[in-house]
Amino acid sequence: MKRVIRSLIVVFLVLAAGVVYLVSMVRASLPVLDGQSDMPSLHEQVMVTSDAFGIPTITGRSREDASRALGYVTARDRLFQMDLLRRTAAGRLAEVFGETMRHTDLKQRTFGFSGTAGAIAARLPRDQRDVLEAFTEGVNDYLTQMKTPPFEFLLLGYEPERWRGEDSLLILLAMFQMLNGAEEEERMRTVMGQALPSEVATFLLPETDPYTEALLNGESHISARSPIPVRALTALRRPVDQMQVRRTAMVRMGRSGLGSNGWAVHGAKTVDGRAVLANDMHLDLAVPNIWYRVQLRYEQIEVTGVVVPGIPIVVAGANGFVAWGVTNVEGDFLDLVRLEINPADSNEYRTPGGWKRFTDRREVITVKGAQDSVAEFKETIWGPVSQDPLLKGPVAVRWTALDPEAVDLGQLAMDRVRSVSEAIAVMNRAGGPANNIILADRDGHIAWTYTGKIPVRRGFDGSVSVSWADGRAGWAGYVSPQAFPKISDPPSGYLVSANQRMLAASYPYVVGHSFANGYRAFRISQRLGPMTKIRERDLFELQLDSTSQFYEFYRRLAQEVLTDTVIQRTPSLAKARHAFEAWNGRADADSRGFALVVHFRDVLSRSVLTPFLFSCRERDAQFSYDGDLDTPLRELLTTQIPELNPDPDRFSGWPEFLLNAVDQTVRELEEEHPSVSLTELTWGQLNRVRIEHPLAGALPGLGYILNMPDEPASGCGQCVRVMQDGLGASQRLVVSPGRQGDGILHMPGGQSGHPFSPHYRDQQHYWSDGLPLPFLAGTPVHTLTLVPRSRTAQMVVEQKPIRPTSITP
C-alpha cells in the first residue's frame, strides 16, 4: 500500500513539475512592452507606446521604419496567427497538424498560391515593395531576438520560420479566398441551368429583391419578376416527407448575405457639418480576432485603424483627412471554365489556338508523423484544373486572385489622400480583394465606389460554367478605373452598403449575380433618413440595432393559420401561438418567441422548396440551393397557388401544409430544448457567442483558458447587428476624419494572442455588451524604444538560429 502511495506521489510530483514548467515557458513568451530593443533593420529610432488595452502607437521618421516597427509588434502580439494564416494559404497545415490536414492541403495546393505570391512580389511597384520589405524585416528582427516562442509553437513542437514578403502576399490571397473565392454559386447555377427549365431557374435565382428595389427607388431597370412558372414547377415536384427533407439538406440555411455594414453621413445631416463613417465587417469570429488595431505616425502622417496580421495595410480607418470602410461586393470574380478534352489524348484540352497539353505541376505535401506525398496538378492557359469536377466534367479556375497583374498593395496609398476624390482614385486602381468602399472626408463629403479588379467578360455573363475553347467566351482584361461606378454626396445625405446590389442593370459590366438581400441596407436607410444633428454615438447605436422586420412576414403567416378553431382542435399549439404573439420584433438575447419565428422560416424554406429541386440533386449528388431564398419563397407563400402545394399527397391545401410546418417547428425546437417551455425559450439560448481558439481542443480544459466566454448574443442574420452561427461584427468603427478623438472602435477579444496577456480578452466585454471604446489609442502606459544597430552586429544576430524549446503533448 505504501509503495502505491509513493508511486502516486511521484506521478503527482512529475505532473505538477510538468505543469509548472509548461506555465513558466508560456509566461516566458509574454511580449515585452517596455524598455529598449535592438532592431537591426531600422534606419532611425522608433517609439512604440501602448495604451491600457495594449493598442500600439508607432512613431517613426519614415514610412519604411514605421512599417518595420509594425512588423515587429504584430509578430510580438500575433506570431502564431500570422504563421497559421500563411500556412493555410500555402497549403502547409499538415506539416504541423499531421494527417488530418493532408486533404485540406491537397485542395489548397490546387491554386498554387505560393507561386502566385512570388509572381506578385516581383511585379510590385517600388514604393509598395519598399513597405513590404520593411515590414518583413521587422518581423524577422523580432524572430531573431525572440527567446521563447508563443505557446502554440511549444504545444505543436515546431519552430517558426523566418518571414518572407511572399508570406504577406499569401495572407492577402487568403483574404481573396475568404471574400471573392467561392465556387459554390457558379456550381449551383450551372446545375440548375442544366436540370431546370429556364423559367424555373430564373424564378429561383432572382436578380434583386423588394428591399433592394425600394433602395434603388424602383429604378434598377431590372426586368419585372415574371409570373410564377406554375406548370413547370408542378412537373418538377417530387413527393417527400419531412424527415427526408431534413436528411437531404438540399436547401442551405447558410450564412449567405451576412456580409458587412458600411455607411457614411454627409455633413448636412450631422451636428456640426462633419462627415461620419460607420463600418462593421462581418466575418467568422475566432481567437485571436482577424484584426489588429494600430496607430501609425510618420512623415507628418497619422493613420489609425485595423490591419490583418501579416499585411501592412490599414484596411479600414482614417488618416485625419479621409476615413474609409469596406464591405464585400458579393460579386463574381471567379469563373469555372468547362474543359473540352481531346478524345484521342486525355492530356490535351481544346483552346482557341487548337489542342494544347496540360502543364503539370508537382508539389510535395509534408505531413507531420506520416509519409510525405507528391501531389500532381494540371494547369491550363486559364488557370489550374479544379480538384472537383462539375457535372462529371473537368473545369479550370479563372480567378482574379491568380493573376499577378490583378493583385497589389495599392491601398497603402490611402495614407496620403486628402479628399474623397483622391481616395476614389486610389481605391479604383488598387488590386486587393474586390470590395465596396465607403468614404468620408474632413470637408463633410461622402462617397461610394468599388476597389479591386472587375473582369470584363465577353460572350457570357459568368453566371454558369461554359467552355472558352472556341474563343467566343472569355475575359477581355479588367474594367478601367475610369469606368468604375461612383456615387458622391447623394441628395439623401447618406450612403449605405450592406452587400446589396448597388447598381442598376444599366451598368455595362457584370459585377455579380446573387447579391445579399437588401433588408439590412433598407433598415439602416430607414433609420438614417429622418435623423438629423447626428453624432458618432448615434451611428454606433445604429450598429447595434436588432430590430428585424424581415421576419415579421413569417410571424404573420403563422398567426394566420393558428386560428381559434385550430387551437380548440389542437390545444398543444396554444403555446406556439403565445410564443409567436410574444415576440417583440427584436433579436435581443432575451427576446421570447423569436427563436420560433426564425426556425419556422427555416422549416418553410426547406419544406416548400426541396420538392421542386430533386432533379438538381439527380444531376449532382453534392447539389444544394443557397442565396436569396426568401424572394421566391415569399412569392409562393403569398400567392399559395393550389397547384403548387409542396406536398399534395399529405395535405389538401396550403393552410394544412402551413399548419403542419408550424407543428414541425414546435416539435424540432422542443426536441432540441426539452427543458425549456416554448413560451420561455429566449433567442439567446439558441444564438450564442462562441469564439474559439484553433487549438482549444488540443488538450482537455484548454478551451476554458483559450476561448472567449460562451454567452447569449443579441443580433441575427437579418439584423443590422449581425450575429449568427459564429459569424458577427469583427469590429465596429465610427469616425469622422479630422475629429478622430470623438471616434469609436471596438472588437472581440483583444490585441494580444497570448492567453496570459492582460490584453488577450480585455476588449471582449465591450464588444459583447455593445459598449464603445475610443477610436484612437489612449494614454500611453507602456513605452518600447526600438533602436537600430551597427551592420556588424546585425550580421552576427542574423546568424543566430531560432531554436525554441518544444513541448509536445
Side-chain angles (χ1 to χ4, degrees):
M1 185 65 182
K2 290 181 179 180
R3 182 178 300 175
V4 173
I5 294 174
R6 282 197 299 269
S7 298
L8 290 174
I9 291 173
V10 170
V11 170
F12 174 79
L13 290 175
V14 169
L15 289 173
V19 171
V20 169
Y21 176 70
L22 177 61
V23 170
S24 66
M25 291 296 294
V26 172
R27 288 195 177 278
S29 66
L30 277 166
V32 176
L33 302 179
D34 290 290
Q36 179 175 300
S37 291
D38 295 327
M39 275 193 69
S41 65
L42 281 181
H43 292 179
E44 298 186 66
Q45 178 177 296
V46 174
M47 192 77 69
V48 180
T49 61
S50 301
D51 69 0
F53 290 95
I55 300 165
T57 298
I58 297 170
T59 305
R61 191 176 295 274
S62 69
R63 182 202 232 184
E64 287 73 25
D65 269 351
S67 298
R68 291 182 180 97
L70 176 61
Y72 183 97
V73 300
T74 309
R76 178 195 69 185
D77 291 334
R78 301 285 190 89
L79 181 58
F80 179 71
Q81 182 183 29
M82 293 168 64
D83 188 65
L84 196 61
L85 286 169
R86 67 174 168 177
R87 286 183 175 277
T88 300
R92 296 181 56 203
L93 293 173
E95 293 180 15
V96 296
F97 290 104
E99 186 66 43
T100 57
M101 301 307 295
R102 187 196 295 266
H103 183 68
T104 300
D105 283 354
L106 177 65
K107 295 203 69 170
Q108 188 65 18
R109 295 283 185 98
T110 302
F111 299 117
F113 274 173
S114 294
T116 303
I120 295 167
R123 292 182 56 87
L124 287 180
R126 182 72 257 175
D127 61 330
Q128 296 179 26
R129 198 179 313 143
D130 287 345
V131 171
L132 182 60
E133 289 174 355
F135 180 85
T136 299
E137 290 167 355
V139 175
N140 287 327
D141 280 347
Y142 178 76
L143 286 172
T144 299
Q145 62 181 245
M146 178 183 67
K147 294 181 174 62
T148 305
F151 82 95
E152 295 97 338
F153 295 99
L154 302 174
L155 188 64
L156 295 170
Y158 78 100
E159 303 175 2
E161 297 174 358
R162 296 186 70 79
W163 199 258
R164 305 172 308 142
E166 290 87 344
D167 293 329
S168 294
L169 297 173
L170 279 171
I171 297 176
L172 179 62
L173 293 174
M175 298 305 292
F176 267 90
Q177 194 168 14
M178 186 195 325
L179 299 172
N180 305 151
E183 302 176 10
E184 289 80 7
E185 182 190 338
E186 186 165 328
R187 289 179 178 275
M188 176 192 76
R189 285 174 169 268
T190 301
V191 173
M192 293 177 75
Q194 292 280 325
L196 303 175
S198 60
E199 63 269 29
V200 174
T202 299
F203 172 72
L204 293 174
L205 299 169
E207 294 184 71
T208 186
D209 62 87
Y211 296 109
T212 300
E213 281 293 291
L215 292 169
L216 294 172
N217 298 315
E219 297 177 1
S220 68
H221 303 295
I222 295 170
S223 58
R225 291 281 283 164
S226 302
I228 298 174
V230 177
R231 182 174 298 178
L233 282 169
T234 303
L236 289 167
R237 183 179 54 210
R238 304 285 179 83
V240 293
D241 60 42
Q242 286 304 307
M243 289 303 296
Q244 184 181 7
V245 167
R246 292 185 73 179
R247 285 195 304 270
T248 58
M250 205 179 306
V251 177
R252 273 187 291 180
M253 258 58 72
R255 302 177 302 175
S256 61
L258 307 190
S260 303
N261 299 323
W263 63 88
V265 178
H266 189 274
K269 286 181 71 70
T270 63
V271 67
D272 56 6
R274 69 180 69 184
V276 187
L277 170 87
N279 185 209
D280 51 295
M281 296 179 278
H282 308 149
L283 299 169
D284 287 305
L285 302 176
V287 181
N289 189 28
I290 189 62
W291 304 114
Y292 182 75
R293 295 183 59 174
V294 69
Q295 198 162 316
L296 298 166
R297 294 173 177 167
Y298 54 87
E299 301 172 13
Q300 298 182 329
I301 290 171
E302 181 168 334
V303 185
T304 306
V306 294
V307 302
V308 176
I311 307 176
I313 292 176
V314 175
V315 176
N319 67 4
F321 294 88
V322 176
W324 59 95
V326 302
T327 69
N328 195 10
V329 175
E330 301 287 344
D332 184 5
F333 311 103
L334 179 153
D335 280 319
L336 299 175
V337 183
R338 185 166 61 82
L339 298 176
E340 299 180 26
I341 306 301
N342 187 346
D345 187 347
S346 61
N347 289 316
E348 292 184 342
Y349 64 100
R350 188 175 168 223
T351 74
W355 296 112
K356 188 174 180 65
R357 292 189 72 81
F358 290 105
T359 301
D360 293 322
R361 171 166 53 90
R362 293 164 61 89
E363 296 196 15
V364 176
I365 297 179
T366 301
V367 182
K368 179 181 178 181
Q371 187 174 357
D372 296 349
S373 59
V374 176
E376 297 187 356
F377 305 94
K378 293 185 180 299
E379 300 272 354
T380 71
I381 60 172
W382 302 297
V385 178
S386 173
Q387 294 285 307
D388 301 313
L390 175 56
L391 292 174
K392 301 181 180 180
V395 288
V397 180
R398 181 72 167 104
W399 183 19
T400 53
L402 301 182
D403 182 357
E405 297 182 16
V407 184
D408 59 35
L409 302 177
Q411 193 175 333
L412 284 168
M414 287 297 288
D415 65 347
R416 289 172 164 79
V417 299
R418 295 294 182 265
S419 65
V420 293
S421 59
E422 290 183 16
I424 286 172
V426 167
M427 288 301 200
N428 289 166
R429 291 193 302 268
N435 279 308
N436 296 288
I437 298 295
I438 308 94
L439 300 160
D441 69 23
R442 68 187 303 162
D443 293 327
H445 301 295
I446 60 174
W448 163 87
T449 189
Y450 287 140
T451 191
K453 303 301 182 183
I454 300 173
V456 176
R457 293 177 170 92
R458 68 171 187 274
F460 77 127
D461 67 1
S463 61
V464 300
S465 177
V466 300
S467 171
W468 296 13
D470 61 8
R472 289 182 295 178
W475 288 9
Y478 300 101
V479 177
S480 70
Q482 295 75 24
F484 269 46
K486 308 165 184 71
I487 302 173
S488 298
D489 295 338
S492 64
Y494 59 87
L495 285 163
V496 179
S497 172
N499 316 110
Q500 83 281 14
R501 175 186 286 274
M502 295 292 293
L503 298 171
S506 57
Y507 186 63
Y509 303 105
V510 174
V511 176
H513 315 283
S514 295
F515 300 92
N517 187 285
Y519 172 73
R520 279 184 291 115
F522 178 84
R523 173 62 181 169
I524 294 165
S525 300
Q526 188 182 54
R527 289 283 307 275
L528 288 176
M531 291 173 68
T532 58
K533 298 182 178 180
I534 292 171
R535 299 178 183 272
E536 285 83 350
R537 186 63 183 255
D538 299 320
L539 299 189
F540 178 70
E541 291 176 356
L542 177 51
Q543 290 178 324
L544 301 171
D545 185 290
S546 61
T547 296
S548 189
Q549 299 158 331
F550 178 90
Y551 284 100
E552 185 61 40
F553 172 89
Y554 299 101
R555 175 174 49 184
R556 287 200 306 268
L557 193 67
Q559 290 176 317
E560 287 171 3
V561 299
L562 290 172
T563 62
D564 291 341
T565 302
V566 166
I567 299 303
Q568 289 174 1
R569 189 172 64 244
T570 316
S572 60
L573 291 177
K575 286 185 179 180
R577 183 163 75 169
H578 291 323
F580 280 117
E581 292 171 348
W583 180 41
N584 61 3
R586 300 171 61 87
D588 294 330
D590 60 357
S591 291
R592 289 177 170 81
F594 186 53
L596 185 64
V597 177
V598 172
H599 200 65
F600 180 53
R601 179 258 181 189
D602 292 348
V603 169
L604 286 174
S605 296
R606 69 180 190 233
S607 61
V608 171
L609 297 172
T610 297
F612 303 106
L613 293 170
F614 271 90
S615 60
C616 297
R617 182 61 65 87
E618 290 169 354
R619 292 292 184 100
D620 182 353
Q622 304 303 315
F623 172 83
S624 60
Y625 173 54
D626 195 8
D628 180 18
L629 314 178
D630 291 274
T631 297
L633 177 64
R634 290 188 185 199
E635 288 189 49
L636 292 171
L637 293 172
T638 299
T639 57
Q640 296 187 19
I641 297 171
E643 294 88 340
L644 296 181
N645 174 358
D647 193 354
D649 292 343
R650 296 178 59 210
F651 306 105
S652 60
W654 278 94
E656 293 77 14
F657 173 85
L658 293 173
L659 189 60
N660 180 75
V662 172
D663 184 60
Q664 180 74 18
T665 302
V666 170
R667 283 187 280 111
E668 289 180 11
L669 277 180
E670 289 181 339
E671 182 180 307
E672 293 171 12
H673 303 276
S675 62
V676 184
S677 170
L678 200 62
T679 55
E680 298 300 316
L681 184 64
T682 64
W683 177 233
Q685 290 172 278
L686 275 72
N687 197 50
R688 305 192 65 82
V689 176
R690 293 188 176 96
I691 308 179
E692 300 182 348
H693 189 282
L695 299 187
L699 290 173
L702 199 56
Y704 179 79
I705 299 172
L706 299 181
N707 297 339
M708 294 298 116
D710 183 336
E711 301 173 321
S714 297
C716 69
Q718 291 294 347
C719 294
V720 177
R721 185 175 187 167
V722 166
M723 183 65 211
Q724 185 171 319
D725 297 332
L727 184 144
S730 58
Q731 48 70 249
R732 295 187 181 99
L733 175 157
V734 183
V735 65
S736 174
R739 299 171 177 83
Q740 293 97 305
D742 297 330
I744 297 167
L745 175 56
H746 74 193
M747 67 182 194
Q751 280 292 102
S752 178
H754 198 297
F756 287 174
S757 167
H759 308 306
Y760 183 72
R761 63 179 85 240
D762 56 349
Q763 295 184 55
Q764 175 69 19
H765 87 90
Y766 291 91
W767 174 85
S768 183
D769 296 340
L771 302 174
L773 284 174
F775 175 76
L776 295 176
T779 303
V781 296
H782 303 283
T783 301
L784 179 65
T785 304
L786 303 175
V787 296
R789 291 172 61 178
S790 68
R791 183 63 187 164
T792 302
Q794 177 180 348
M795 292 172 64
V796 172
V797 171
E798 286 179 344
Q799 293 172 7
K800 176 185 175 183
I802 305 168
R803 298 190 182 280
T805 304
S806 296
I807 300 176
T808 305

